[in-house]
């Protein structure tokens, strides 16, 4: 079992001010995978003081100096990648191939992207009678969720480092092991003391102290809507910038063409990836009413074809992250049954043969957009299929949601896909499964207010200064 009991503050591994620990449970075994310390306000205060002290020199470093540090992190990250994959598998139950593949790969991708953006970034621009200057905002509190631990952490830490900010990372309790390894990577790579600090513990303690702290200039938060709202309130008195990346109920529109069955199958399998614990998952699958029977057949086969089991084995889907999440998902499946949605795959309880570990059946309902299972984020492997009559109605249903994080369109009529993409009220649209590390990511409506990834991810951490008559 891993014992990660020290915090990383001011370039040193230090004991918490008050000793208190908590186990990190492996959701596949329900046994402890590690133990962390639970920090208090005193630990946060030390970390903020270290970040504040480091800011004047780090913020004045040259692009070349920061690029050198990022490249040194890159070498160290590559070396520790297998350990990160193992930790992610243990802490949140991602299948080994996924944990070692996309999970650690996303972190590496954000690091490479930060390097590419920094190389080209113009921190000063002459514009008419003024020079515009981008400057690091200061000391940042980074608060992250457990569902894609390296992705969510790296998409904050590397842009913050690249722009010259200093920071305190508060990782999720459920997935705190990989964050500890990341701190070891930054330490070994020679990030100067105080620039990056790690304090573990509960969000209601560490997160609240960071959000209210007089000496923290900005909070970048990824997680649930209620916590995002609370952070904004806590940060209001000190007029902090708060970047929020919240939940979603993203629509996936399958167009009416000869690829429909294939596209429905891949959307269904995609929904089950990472056990459905992806904020931008296409959890509402919109299919033409005239092709509903075919869509049901394809989705049923795809969901039943998703193998579920031990993350160390060769399965497509592992458990969900915790008993708490398992219970929430079961309640939503029951809710779907109660509100009259048609269950076409999966359902209540664990998959057959799995009686230990928080495994959920890949579940598909056919329902309507007004049902609770179509409006609220379930954050599990549960898909809702909704019928549409024509493209206009598909867009209307897609936009009829409190959220606006992602959207998907698949089909051979690219012009139609583009026109739908233009009309969707979401921060990102993926047409025919495109992918780009430089594309900004963030939400409309209740999905948040920030934009991460690529160059827009830098702007989260930058102040704008006008130098007039320069
Ligand atoms: P969460 O409960 O909101 O927790 C996120 C982080 O906030 C954790 O580190 C948590 O600490 C901390 N926290 C809890 N209460 C806090 C408080 N009062 N003040 C400050 N911080 C606090 O979310 P989650 O359950 O980990 O993650 C699932 C949610 O994240 C879903 O809604 C999902 O859609 C969303 N998400 C969004 C994106 C995106 O980019 N838009 C990406 C991934 C996930 P603890 O460790 O103590 O819980
Ligand atoms: Mg939570």
């Amino acid at each position: 079992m891993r014992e990660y009991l020290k915090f990383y503050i001011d370039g040193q591994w230090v004991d918490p001010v008050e000793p208190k620990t908590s186990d990190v449970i492996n959701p596949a075994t329900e046994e402890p995978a590690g133990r962390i310390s639970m920090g208090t306000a005193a630990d946060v205060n030390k970390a903020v003081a270290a970040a504040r002290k480091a800011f004047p020199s780090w913020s004045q470093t040259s692009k070349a100096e920061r690029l050198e540090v990022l490249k040194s992190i890159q070498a160290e990250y590559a070396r520790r990648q297998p350990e990160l994959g193992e930790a992610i598998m243990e802490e949140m139950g991602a299948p080994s191939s996924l944990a070692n593949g996309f999970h650690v790969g996303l972190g590496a991708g954000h690091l490479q992207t930060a390097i590419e953006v920094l190389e080209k970034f113009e921190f000063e621009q002459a514009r008419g009678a003024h020079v515009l200057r981008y400057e690091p905002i200061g000391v940042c509190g980074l608060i992250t969720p457990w569902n894609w631990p390296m992705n969510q952490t790296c998409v904050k830490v590397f842009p913050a480092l690249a722009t010259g900010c200093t920071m305190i990372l508060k990782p999720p309790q459920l997935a705190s092991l990989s964050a500890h390894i990341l701190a070891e990577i930054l330490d070994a790579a020679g990030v100067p003391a105080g620039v990056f600090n790690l304090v573990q513990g509960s969000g209601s303690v560490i997160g609240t102290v960071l959000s209210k702290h007089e000496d923290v200039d900005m909070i970048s938060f990824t997680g649930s809507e209620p916590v995002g709202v609370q952070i904004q309130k806590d940060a209001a008195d000190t007029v902090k910038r708060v970047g929020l990346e919240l939940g979603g109920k993203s629509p996936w529109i399958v167009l009416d063409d000869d690829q429909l069955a294939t596209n429905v199958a891949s959307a269904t399998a995609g929904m089950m990836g990472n056990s459905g614990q992806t904020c931008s998952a296409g959890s509402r699958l919109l299919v033409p009413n005239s092709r509903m029977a075919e869509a049901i057949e394809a989705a049923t086969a795809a969901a039943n074809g998703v193998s579920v089991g031990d993350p160390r084995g060769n399965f497509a889907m592992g458990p969900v992250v915790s008993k708490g999440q398992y219970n929430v998902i079961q309640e939503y499946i029951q809710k779907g049954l109660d509100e009259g949605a048609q269950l076409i795959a999966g359902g209540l309880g664990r998959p057959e043969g799995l009686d230990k570990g928080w495994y959920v059946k890949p579940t598909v309902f056919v329902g309507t957009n007004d049902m609770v299972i179509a409006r609220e984020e379930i954050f599990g492997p549960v898909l809702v299929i909704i019928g549409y009559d024509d493209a206009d109605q598909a867009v209307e249903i897609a936009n009829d949601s409190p959220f606006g994080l992602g959207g998907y369109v698949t089909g051979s009529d690219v012009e139609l896909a583009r026109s739908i993409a233009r009309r969707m009220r979401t921060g990102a649209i993926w047409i025919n499964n495109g992918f780009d590390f430089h594309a900004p990511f963030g939400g409309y409506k209740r999905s948040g207010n920030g934009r991460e990834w690529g160059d827009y991810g830098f702007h989260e951490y930058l102040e704008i200064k006008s130098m007039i008559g320069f």
Side-chain angles (χ1 to χ4, degrees):
M1 190 168 90
R2 298 159 194 268
E3 291 236 316
Y4 291 157
L5 301 182
K6 291 187 188 281
F7 299 148
Y8 187 68
I9 297 174
D10 207 9
Q12 305 289 325
W13 289 99
V14 298
D15 288 322
V17 172
E18 290 169 33
K20 188 182 169 208
T21 64
S22 173
D23 286 347
V24 178
I25 305 296
N26 178 336
T29 61
E30 301 178 38
E31 305 290 338
R35 184 169 295 150
I36 56 164
S37 286
M38 300 293 283
T40 59
D43 301 298
V44 180
N45 289 337
K46 280 169 63 182
V48 172
R52 177 56 61 202
K53 191 175 67 162
F55 183 69
S57 61
W58 183 247
S59 60
Q60 295 302 315
T61 50
S62 67
K63 239 162 95 158
E65 286 169 293
R66 295 199 298 283
L67 277 168
E68 198 180 315
V69 170
L70 289 172
K71 285 176 183 169
S72 150
I73 297 170
Q74 203 168 31
E76 198 57 26
Y77 189 99
R79 202 173 72 73
R80 304 286 302 272
Q81 216 157 296
E83 286 168 76
L84 281 171
E86 183 81 8
I88 291 168
M89 180 182 71
E90 289 177 12
E91 65 195 3
M92 53 81 67
S96 176
S97 57
L98 180 66
N100 284 288
F102 210 36
H103 271 278
V104 290
L106 281 165
H110 291 306
L111 178 49
Q112 174 60 25
T113 305
I115 290 170
E116 290 168 14
V117 172
L118 181 56
E119 274 165 351
K120 293 207 182 109
F121 203 88
E122 302 284 354
F123 286 90
E124 280 192 17
Q125 294 167 15
R127 299 174 8 138
H130 73 280
V131 166
L132 185 85
R133 187 173 149 78
Y134 290 112
E135 297 187 338
I137 191 164
V139 173
C140 301
L142 312 178
I143 304 175
T144 56
W146 46 264
N147 62 329
W148 286 95
M150 269 310 98
N151 176 62
Q152 315 296 10
T153 309
C154 294
V155 80
K156 298 186 192 307
V157 168
F158 298 129
L161 281 176
T163 49
C165 290
T166 61
M167 67 209 74
I168 302 93
L169 172 65
K170 200 313 264 181
Q173 290 176 66
L174 293 175
S176 42
L177 307 179
S178 54
H180 183 97
I181 298 174
L182 184 70
E184 289 178 357
I185 290 171
L186 298 178
D187 178 47
V191 174
V195 170
F196 170 88
N197 305 274
L198 171 81
V199 179
Q200 306 262 24
S202 95
S204 55
V205 176
I206 310 297
T208 305
V209 175
L210 282 171
S211 303
K212 292 186 170 178
H213 209 290
E214 295 257 357
D215 243 354
V216 173
D217 301 294
M218 187 259 187
I219 298 283
S220 176
F221 170 76
T222 300
S224 63
E225 186 190 329
V227 173
V229 169
Q230 186 59 47
I231 288 176
Q232 277 193 312
K233 290 178 180 167
D234 288 341
D237 288 340
T238 47
V239 199
K240 279 183 187 61
R241 181 183 299 175
V242 178
L244 300 177
E245 303 288 345
L246 309 177
K249 194 75 190 179
S250 299
W252 185 314
I253 298 176
V254 175
L255 300 182
D256 186 355
D257 60 29
D258 59 2
Q259 291 302 301
L260 177 128
T262 312
N263 289 336
V264 165
S266 77
T268 305
M271 179 64 218
M272 309 308 166
N274 208 41
S275 303
Q277 304 165 124
T278 299
C279 47
S280 55
S283 51
R284 291 185 294 146
L285 185 62
L286 276 49
V287 305
N289 273 320
S290 59
R291 308 279 298 272
M292 186 56 87
E294 251 175 284
I296 288 177
E297 195 183 317
T300 305
N304 291 337
V306 173
S307 59
V308 185
D310 185 352
R312 291 183 189 279
N314 194 20
F315 297 95
M317 198 176 106
V320 297
V321 72
S322 66
K323 181 182 183 178
Q325 282 298 115
Y326 176 87
N327 288 336
V328 167
I329 296 162
Q330 297 301 313
E331 281 167 25
Y332 273 113
I333 295 174
Q334 184 61 54
K335 183 82 200 164
L337 296 170
D338 292 346
E339 61 189 345
Q342 179 193 355
L343 182 71
I344 62 165
L348 290 167
R350 290 179 165 113
E352 215 171 307
L354 293 170
D355 39 43
K356 198 159 196 216
W358 304 114
Y359 295 97
V360 175
K361 293 176 188 166
T363 295
V364 184
F365 283 106
V366 180
T368 51
N369 201 45
D370 57 353
M371 290 178 170
V372 170
I373 55 166
R375 302 210 73 78
E376 296 182 9
E377 183 180 50
I378 300 175
F379 227 55
V382 182
L383 177 67
V384 187
I385 299 181
I386 299 164
Y388 68 82
D389 289 332
D390 56 23
D392 286 346
Q393 197 190 25
V395 171
E396 195 182 304
I397 296 170
N399 288 338
D400 177 10
S401 171
F403 296 107
L405 188 55
Y408 304 78
V409 191
T410 45
S412 47
D413 186 343
V414 176
E415 277 314 313
L416 178 59
R418 287 175 179 160
S419 80
I420 289 174
R422 289 195 178 96
R423 293 160 67 193
M424 272 208 234
R425 299 284 299 163
T426 65
I429 309 282
W430 289 270
I431 297 174
N432 289 326
N433 306 309
F435 186 86
D436 186 352
F437 272 112
H438 287 271
F441 182 97
Y444 284 21
K445 302 193 255 180
R446 298 274 184 103
S447 292
N449 57 17
R451 288 294 179 277
E452 298 190 299
W453 298 51
D455 55 352
Y456 278 92
F458 275 40
H459 288 282
E460 295 275 296
Y461 300 98
L462 291 168
E463 282 284 16
I464 294 174
K465 178 183 282 178
S466 292
M467 299 187 292
I468 301 129
F470 188 80

